Amino acid sequence: YFNVEVSAADGGSVSFENGRYAEGTELTAVANPDLKFRFVKWSDGDTNQERNIVVDGDLNITAEFEQNIFMLKYMVEGKEYNSFDLEVGAEIPAVEDPVKEGFKFNGWDGLPETMPAEDITVNALFLQYFAVAITAGEGGSVDFEAKEGGYLEGDEITVTATAGEKFRFVEWSDGVKDNPRKITVAGNIDLSAKFEQNVFTITYMVDGEVYDTEDVEAGAKIEAKAGPVKEGYE
């Protein structure tokens, strides 16, 4: 008689009654993996999940298992949105994009292409919409188109201030002087283009009537005009 012991490592159990058996006895041992596990092999290298044993000496073998199904959990704002039990190497299932008011869904942080050999938690990424208002003060206009619902965080906007006749662009209301100007949206924006009059009109009058006019830029040298002629006067 010989001692025959069959055991299971973590992740499963075995169907077998340990004991002493006579030489030549034929026995059957079955490895039973737990949920989310699979049978790998016996400790002596045999890979048959159900194996036959012919007793010819003492025997001590162990069924070895490994986890092959792991959980993929989708989280939105700290709450579970969906979850799947997936086999290692399986393709990741698509899920409906979550909705958050005032934001645009921007994918799942840490989502793998196929399921790895570990539990995975991924978190929803969102881009915020921001209100953008860009206006022109007196004396000009701006090239800007507002969007209903606002602009997304990270959007790039190029705005141009155009001065009207006799005016010049000075700066934006936040002090920036670039024109055109590129803005990367990172929050609500409320800007105004500032203009100032820089061309003025000189009106020459003779006896209560307009003799001539001239538009002159502020600071420019004024060139004298030919004097008017009036009979009997110099």
Side-chain angles (χ1 to χ4, degrees), residues 1-194:
Y1 285 83
F2 295 98
N3 291 320
V4 180
E5 293 186 10
V6 180
S7 59
D10 291 342
S13 61
V14 292
S15 298
F16 186 79
E17 186 175 346
N18 292 332
R20 290 177 59 81
Y21 292 91
E23 184 176 1
T25 302
E26 293 187 359
L27 306 170
T28 300
V30 180
N32 307 305
D34 291 341
L35 186 65
K36 298 187 180 182
F37 283 78
R38 72 177 186 89
F39 170 72
V40 179
K41 63 181 179 65
W42 298 95
S43 55
D44 62 356
D46 193 306
T47 57
N48 293 301
Q49 187 171 344
E50 180 176 335
R51 66 181 290 181
N52 295 322
I53 300 170
V54 178
V55 178
D56 61 359
D58 290 334
L59 181 66
N60 188 336
I61 56 173
T62 301
E64 298 175 359
F65 305 91
E66 70 176 8
Q67 188 172 349
N68 69 323
I69 294 178
F70 293 87
M71 176 177 285
L72 169 62
K73 186 182 295 184
Y74 294 86
M75 301 291 290
V76 177
E77 300 293 289
K79 296 181 179 179
E80 184 174 332
Y81 180 71
N82 211 332
S83 64
F84 300 91
D85 285 333
L86 299 174
E87 192 169 346
V88 174
E91 291 186 3
I92 302 300
V95 296
E96 185 176 351
D97 292 349
V99 176
K100 182 181 178 183
E101 187 175 355
F103 292 78
K104 179 183 178 181
F105 175 67
N106 194 40
W108 298 100
D109 185 27
L111 186 67
E113 293 184 2
T114 59
M115 191 64 192
E118 60 181 339
D119 292 329
I120 293 290
T121 297
V122 296
N123 292 281
L125 299 173
F126 293 95
L127 293 175
Q128 187 171 358
Y129 284 98
F130 290 102
V132 178
I134 300 177
T135 57
E138 182 181 357
S141 62
V142 292
D143 180 14
F144 170 73
E145 182 178 350
K147 281 187 179 180
E148 185 177 354
Y151 281 80
L152 281 173
E153 179 181 358
D155 279 351
E156 288 192 348
I157 303 171
T158 299
V159 292
T160 303
T162 302
E165 187 178 2
K166 297 186 179 182
F167 283 79
R168 73 178 185 89
F169 170 74
V170 179
E171 64 181 10
W172 299 96
S173 53
D174 61 356
V176 175
K177 299 182 183 297
D178 295 346
N179 187 37
R181 175 181 181 181
K182 183 175 288 187
I183 301 169
T184 300
V185 177
N188 294 327
I189 297 172
D190 188 1
L191 283 177
S192 177
K194 294 182 179 180

